Amino acid sequence: MEAQKSLKVECLTEDEAINLFKKKVGETTLNSHSDIPQLAEIAAKECQGLPLAIVTIGRAMADKKTPQEWERAIQMLRTYPSKFSGMGDHVFPVLKFSYDNLTNDTIKTCFLHLAIFPEDHQILNQDLIFLWIGEGFLDGFASIDEAFNQGHHIIEHLKTVCLFENDGFDRVKMHDVIRDMALWLASEYRGNKNIILVEEVDTLEVYQVSKWKEAHRLYLSTSLEELTIPLSFPNLLTLIVGNEDLETFPSGFFHFMPVIKVLDLSNTGITKLPAGIGKLVTLQYLNFSNTDLRELSVELATLKRLRYLILDGSLEIISKEVISHLSMLRVFSTIFKYLLSKRNYISSSTEEEKEEANYSRKDDKAIYLHEDNKALLEELEGLEHINWVSLPIIGALSFQKLLNSQKLLNAMRDLELWNLEGMSILQLPRIKHLRSLTVYRCGELQDIKVNLENERGRRGFVANSMPNSIFYNLHGVHVNQLPKLLDLTWLIYIPSLERLIVHGCESMEEVIGDASGVPENLGIFSRLEDLRLYLLPNLRSISRQALPFPSLKTLCVMECPNLRKLPLDSNSARNSLKTIEGTPEWWQGLRWEDETIELTFTPYNK
């Protein structure tokens, strides 16, 4: 329609939704029993602010005059929404218009897939895209990078047409009513009732377990401890377990899954490989991230078709030659969990570090990830199809092994550098696909440099084909416990940096030092959204000059007592800033160029 401006029509607030719902129910019904007004509020909340659902359900409840009728209706709305009057023949068909107008079957399949998760479930964009890749939805691309980019494109498109919702930093979820519609589309509308099953009940009945035989995709968050029924999953392609308290599986649980491709046990309480997992010979995607799994035993070596192995968490030991036997492996990720934990930004000592120091078991048939892990790099280098690696590099010898392998450098996506003993200057090599970099506990490190040999003479990344820069894909940098590091001036050459965390660098006085020799149009921190500074006792400056920060959303400063001035002016972070976090004492001690700038940013202080 060539409109000059598009406005997103948000869902109603809770009060607005309740008022509209009660209006459609009518005063006669609301006054027919003293319990009904409260039940009406409960029913209205089930609509999650969606006007179409509020109007439809409100009208359907207008002739229900007893609390029992209302309670039964609310239960049906929660359990079988498609059976509720007006939903399957009015609400869902209207919402289906957005689905029908999606441009291709791949986007439609990716949309329906998110419905496997329970109501209000939020998921990281990266985790969702990896699941789509593991499912084979994005197989039509020449490289995993192209598939990953397409995954991001699909997420953005589904948010644009309001089928997905943005839910925090790099997370999405599905509106409850949209999810109900997706389940209706995936199962009942197509006549395949149990293709997607979501089991969240406390106690499983025999009839529920019998449905698992028909399921293609199953999400389980229920307890399995008392399950004694013989299990069979002849059609199961995907199993996602969402019970964080689940530590073990019933005997034989994995014995009959003849066609399973995707197994996601992330965020569960498991501490060792489940018995029988080696029988899943058709498995292509396996996720143990954010668990307490400590050891990867030889049983995993039987999974010859495995392509995607995600182990981000507490893994410490991998039996030798397990990885080398996974000949089809394309993606290997084992980022340490506790570096991702917020509590490590405000503490210099962690329980995990103490556990690491006390860990005494040794086995010459195992690789210890907290030590020199050159052997793991050698096994990964020998895999023909590997093209995505995320892992910690421990020690100078392992780092040198990485530098000597162009194959591993090309595959590296998330890199953690630990304990680079004896190294005062870190010269970063060209790592074309690197997305995140962590440098941790390098006691002698004073400076970090990048190789600008191919960048000389350029007028600025933005103006001159930024994708060709040496770190174009680098979005996140985290430096932690580097007591002698002086600054991070090298970051001015990172054009796509979105998140920066600096923690425990006692010698640092400036984040960005002397940048007088760089081009004016370099766009320093032009895409930075999240800047967090912790435990920097001598920090006095983030930048010597005010920066526009056109994308900055969050600035967090904790225990930086000498940082008295922020690199902000009246034009900084316009239309982007959400919050500035810091103690009241720190905020009150800040110095500003003028009162207008202080008044501009005071509302953002939290």
Side-chain angles (χ1 to χ4, degrees):
M1 295 176 66
E2 299 184 357
Q4 292 182 336
K5 188 175 183 180
S6 298
L7 296 175
K8 180 183 178 182
V9 180
E10 303 287 350
C11 288
L12 301 181
T13 65
E14 187 173 296
D15 288 341
E16 291 170 339
I18 290 171
N19 290 336
L20 177 59
F21 186 84
K22 287 183 174 180
K23 182 178 179 180
K24 296 303 175 182
V25 170
E27 291 295 328
T28 301
T29 298
L30 291 171
N31 295 329
S32 61
H33 192 282
S34 59
D35 289 349
I36 288 181
Q38 185 176 358
L39 290 167
E41 293 185 9
I42 295 172
K45 291 175 184 178
E46 289 297 315
C47 303
Q48 293 288 307
L50 195 67
L52 177 62
I54 292 168
V55 171
T56 301
I57 296 171
R59 287 172 177 168
M61 298 301 292
D63 62 348
K64 301 189 185 306
K65 305 293 177 62
T66 68
Q68 292 83 0
E69 289 178 293
W70 276 80
E71 289 168 351
R72 285 194 293 270
I74 291 171
Q75 186 61 30
M76 178 173 286
L77 199 56
R78 289 173 171 171
T79 311
Y80 301 106
S82 63
K83 302 296 186 185
F84 191 90
S85 177
M87 294 292 282
D89 54 10
H90 181 55
V91 174
F92 291 164
V94 172
L95 296 176
K96 183 175 175 287
F97 179 80
S98 295
Y99 170 82
D100 288 338
N101 281 276
L102 295 175
T103 53
N104 57 59
D105 289 341
T106 298
I107 298 179
K108 291 178 179 179
T109 301
C110 290
F111 162 69
L112 294 177
H113 182 266
L114 189 57
I116 193 175
F117 294 99
E119 288 186 356
D120 299 319
H121 182 88
Q122 56 176 244
I123 184 169
L124 285 167
N125 293 354
Q126 171 177 306
D127 293 346
L128 182 59
I129 295 171
F130 265 135
L131 272 172
W132 288 346
I133 292 173
E135 293 274 8
F137 300 159
L138 304 176
D139 277 354
F141 293 90
S143 71
I144 194 168
D145 294 286
E146 291 179 9
F148 215 83
N149 289 336
Q150 179 63 13
H152 278 293
H153 171 75
I154 289 173
I155 287 175
E156 292 305 315
H157 181 68
L158 289 170
K159 287 194 294 186
T160 299
V161 299
C162 301
L163 292 175
F164 279 6
E165 294 182 354
N166 201 42
D167 198 46
F169 191 81
D170 283 341
R171 296 175 183 268
V172 293
K173 71 173 188 177
M174 190 179 280
H175 188 284
D176 288 354
V177 179
I178 299 294
R179 176 180 174 273
D180 292 336
M181 185 266 291
L183 288 172
W184 173 74
L185 280 170
S187 54
E188 295 174 50
Y189 180 76
R190 295 179 175 178
N192 299 311
K193 199 167 187 179
N194 296 323
I195 281 185
I196 294 179
L197 280 179
V198 183
E199 298 286 14
E200 298 182 87
V201 294
D202 294 329
T203 304
L204 284 170
E205 304 292 343
V206 174
Y207 81 93
Q208 289 173 305
V209 177
S210 67
K211 292 189 298 183
W212 296 358
K213 293 181 180 181
E214 305 169 38
H216 290 189
R217 293 186 169 87
L218 175 63
Y219 180 96
L220 287 176
S221 63
T222 186
S223 173
L224 300 173
E225 292 179 1
E226 300 178 2
L227 193 63
T228 58
I229 307 164
L231 298 173
S232 174
F233 305 88
N235 300 304
L236 193 64
L237 298 172
T238 300
L239 174 61
I240 299 175
V241 179
N243 184 349
E244 62 183 20
D245 297 321
L246 190 146
E247 297 180 5
T248 59
F249 290 85
S251 176
F253 186 84
F254 294 104
H255 284 192
F256 194 67
M257 298 182 181
V259 295
I260 190 168
K261 291 172 55 179
V262 172
L263 178 60
D264 189 338
L265 302 181
S266 62
N267 300 297
T268 60
I270 61 172
T271 58
K272 59 182 180 180
L273 282 181
I277 199 169
K279 296 183 180 297
L280 305 180
V281 294
T282 59
L283 204 61
Q284 297 185 24
Y285 172 99
L286 181 57
N287 190 340
F288 286 117
S289 63
N290 201 28
T291 68
D292 288 322
L293 180 70
R294 301 283 173 152
E295 183 172 354
L296 214 59
S297 60
V298 293
E299 185 178 7
L300 209 71
T302 62
L303 306 183
K304 303 296 185 182
R305 299 188 191 180
L306 198 64
R307 296 183 178 189
Y308 311 99
L309 180 57
I310 304 174
L311 302 160
D312 303 340
S314 303
L315 194 71
E316 295 179 348
I317 303 171
I318 300 177
S319 295
K320 284 185 177 179
E321 298 187 1
V322 167
I323 302 303
S324 60
H325 275 80
L326 304 178
S327 57
M328 299 300 293
L329 201 63
R330 297 180 182 180
V331 171
F332 178 82
S333 181
T334 176
I335 297 299
F336 289 157
K337 177 176 66 176
Y338 59 89
L339 269 180
L340 307 177
S341 172
K342 185 175 181 179
R343 68 190 176 94
N344 289 283
Y345 302 151
I346 57 176
S347 171
S348 60
S349 177
T350 69
E351 294 178 9
E352 287 87 350
E353 288 174 21
K354 295 174 184 176
E355 288 179 15
E356 175 191 341
N358 295 327
Y359 200 81
S360 59
R361 174 185 170 185
K362 296 296 176 185
D363 183 345
D364 59 6
K365 295 182 180 180
I367 297 169
Y368 294 84
L369 295 184
H370 287 278
E371 301 177 3
D372 176 11
N373 51 10
K374 187 171 65 172
L376 175 59
L377 294 174
E378 291 173 351
E379 290 198 29
L380 288 168
E381 188 178 30
L383 296 175
E384 179 182 354
H385 303 286
I386 195 74
N387 58 17
W388 182 297
V389 173
S390 299
L391 83 168
I393 301 293
I394 313 296
L397 290 177
S398 296
F399 183 52
Q400 190 60 48
K401 171 63 181 176
L402 175 65
L403 295 180
N404 292 336
S405 174
Q406 192 59 50
K407 181 176 183 177
L408 290 177
L409 288 174
N410 289 340
M412 193 63 65
R413 296 312 195 278
D414 303 282
L415 174 62
E416 295 176 357
L417 296 175
W418 287 50
N419 300 341
L420 301 179
E421 63 275 1
M423 189 176 293
S424 60
I425 298 176
L426 171 61
Q427 184 79 42
L428 290 172
R430 180 184 180 93
I431 310 179
K432 180 179 180 182
H433 299 295
L434 190 67
R435 305 178 317 148
S436 70
L437 172 68
T438 295
V439 186
Y440 185 54
R441 291 199 304 178
C442 300
E444 300 301 315
L445 195 63
Q446 299 178 28
D447 195 9
I448 301 175
K449 298 179 180 294
V450 294
N451 182 5
L452 297 176
E453 182 179 343
N454 297 324
E455 310 298 329
R456 297 296 185 190
R458 293 167 59 124
R459 292 172 297 172
F461 290 128
V462 175
N464 292 274
S465 185
M466 225 173 21
N468 291 324
S469 72
I470 57 174
F471 286 110
Y472 171 65
N473 292 297
L474 183 56
H475 299 303
V477 171
H478 179 184
V479 295
N480 192 333
Q481 297 185 43
L482 309 180
K484 295 185 179 181
L485 188 67
L486 299 177
D487 61 52
L488 290 167
T489 305
W490 67 280
L491 291 175
I492 64 177
Y493 297 104
I494 310 302
S496 301
L497 188 65
E498 296 177 2
R499 191 175 196 189
L500 173 62
I501 301 171
V502 187
H503 171 253
C505 302
E506 290 90 339
S507 300
M508 185 177 293
E509 296 186 5
E510 299 176 297
V511 177
I512 300 298
D514 183 9
S516 58
V518 303
E520 291 184 5
N521 65 339
L522 195 61
I524 299 174
F525 289 161
S526 66
R527 302 189 186 184
L528 190 68
E529 298 181 9
D530 193 10
L531 174 58
R532 298 178 182 270
L533 308 171
Y534 302 96
L535 286 170
L536 307 173
N538 292 303
L539 185 69
R540 299 181 183 278
S541 168
I542 296 175
S543 170
R544 298 182 185 182
Q545 61 187 41
L547 297 174
F549 287 118
S551 304
L552 189 66
K553 296 178 181 177
T554 301
L555 170 61
C556 181
V557 180
M558 294 292 178
E559 298 191 49
C560 303
N562 289 305
L563 182 62
R564 293 303 181 190
K565 188 175 180 180
L566 300 178
L568 304 173
D569 60 23
S570 56
N571 294 314
S572 298
R574 299 182 69 177
N575 304 317
S576 67
L577 191 63
K578 303 294 183 185
T579 181
I580 301 176
E581 299 178 19
T583 64
E585 295 77 14
W586 170 76
W587 181 262
Q588 291 166 9
L590 285 175
R591 298 191 296 268
W592 303 90
E593 289 292 337
D594 58 58
E595 186 178 356
T596 302
I597 298 176
E598 181 179 4
L599 291 173
T600 298
F601 291 101
T602 295
Y604 299 103
N605 176 234
K606 304 290 177 63

